[in-house]
Amino acid sequence: MATVTPNKTDSVDVLTHQTAVHPCTIKGSAIDCRTKRAAAISLFHAYTEATADTNPGRFLVQVRPDPGEGTVNEHWVTVLELTARGTTPDTEAMTATEPIGETVLACASTTGFTTADPDAQLYIQNTTLADSEWAQLSSFVANTSITLIDGLTTQQTNTSVIWNDASRWQVYLDLNAMESFRVVWIHQGTTGANGHVKALAITYDSDGSA
């Protein structure tokens, strides 16, 4: 009997890693899914400003059921909304250079950080946007260091800043009757904190056999 193996496409850039300055609306690229069966979308939000996020932003996951080339904008339908924390985030500056894979990050203060969500959801902001990364707090030594569950993806330095109250979600879409999908970040209202956002997808394209 033949073994069925799913053919997948990973690291589909649905919403590029970017700065989201309040107020803003950021539309991700429409992803053609006429030859796709399903998708798993990972959505990421982080605060980069210690301001009360009184009117928190939200991700809209949208699909468009058009046949053909998908040019009818009025047919975008929101199937899910995911809202950011709506808090005043805490922030701590790193005090040393930490290499890739390091889990213990030196810092002078840990005020506001706890091991409970949402405090444990972290964002490490590098001066280079692409080198910033999301992480999960495991434990900390008061006013000395913060320990991550997993090691750093990129090297961080004493110019990097650790923020809490970040958010990460995973969404699954059935694409059998869809022409395209996209992600929109919308952050309006009178008061809000700036941040960084991104969204990636893995698509289930077809079945292969061996």
Side-chain angles (χ1 to χ4, degrees), residues 91-141:
T91 180
E92 306 297 347
M94 292 178 55
T95 57
T97 295
E98 308 290 3
I100 294 172
E102 181 61 71
T103 57
V104 181
L105 311 183
C107 57
S109 173
T110 55
T111 302
F113 284 73
T114 74
T115 56
D117 281 337
D119 292 337
Q121 296 294 325
L122 306 182
Y123 184 67
I124 304 167
Q125 183 183 10
N126 193 288
T127 53
T128 300
L129 176 64
D131 290 337
S132 300
E133 58 186 284
W134 280 262
Q136 174 88 35
L137 174 66
S138 172
S139 62
F140 63 91
V141 177

Side-chain angles (χ1 to χ4, degrees), residues 101-203:
E102 181 61 71
T103 57
V104 181
L105 311 183
C107 57
S109 173
T110 55
T111 302
F113 284 73
T114 74
T115 56
D117 281 337
D119 292 337
Q121 296 294 325
L122 306 182
Y123 184 67
I124 304 167
Q125 183 183 10
N126 193 288
T127 53
T128 300
L129 176 64
D131 290 337
S132 300
E133 58 186 284
W134 280 262
Q136 174 88 35
L137 174 66
S138 172
S139 62
F140 63 91
V141 177
N143 303 325
T144 301
S145 64
I146 287 173
T147 300
L148 310 178
I149 289 179
D150 298 299
L152 292 171
T153 301
T154 58
Q155 176 177 281
Q156 303 295 336
T157 71
N158 61 2
T159 61
S160 299
V161 177
I162 305 171
W163 297 86
N164 65 4
D165 296 350
S167 299
R168 290 180 285 183
W169 297 273
Q170 187 79 9
V171 176
Y172 298 94
L173 291 179
D174 181 347
L175 301 176
N176 282 314
M178 297 299 125
E179 180 272 335
S180 54
F181 69 92
R182 72 179 181 183
V183 169
V184 178
W185 170 255
I186 182 166
H187 193 189
Q188 302 295 332
T190 304
T191 306
N194 297 336
H196 288 175
V197 295
K198 75 173 181 179
L200 299 171
I202 296 176
T203 60

Side-chain angles (χ1 to χ4, degrees), residues 36-116:
K36 315 292 186 184
R37 294 186 177 183
I41 307 173
S42 300
L43 303 108
F44 303 79
H45 170 263
Y47 290 111
T48 58
E49 182 182 24
T51 296
D53 194 26
T54 307
N55 303 107
R58 64 192 191 277
F59 283 111
L60 308 182
V61 179
Q62 299 185 320
V63 296
R64 184 164 53 184
D66 296 349
E69 298 304 317
T71 57
V72 184
N73 287 329
E74 68 172 314
H75 288 175
W76 282 113
V77 177
T78 298
V79 295
L80 185 64
E81 293 190 16
L82 297 163
T83 303
R85 304 287 186 183
T87 64
T88 302
D90 300 292
T91 180
E92 306 297 347
M94 292 178 55
T95 57
T97 295
E98 308 290 3
I100 294 172
E102 181 61 71
T103 57
V104 181
L105 311 183
C107 57
S109 173
T110 55
T111 302
F113 284 73
T114 74
T115 56

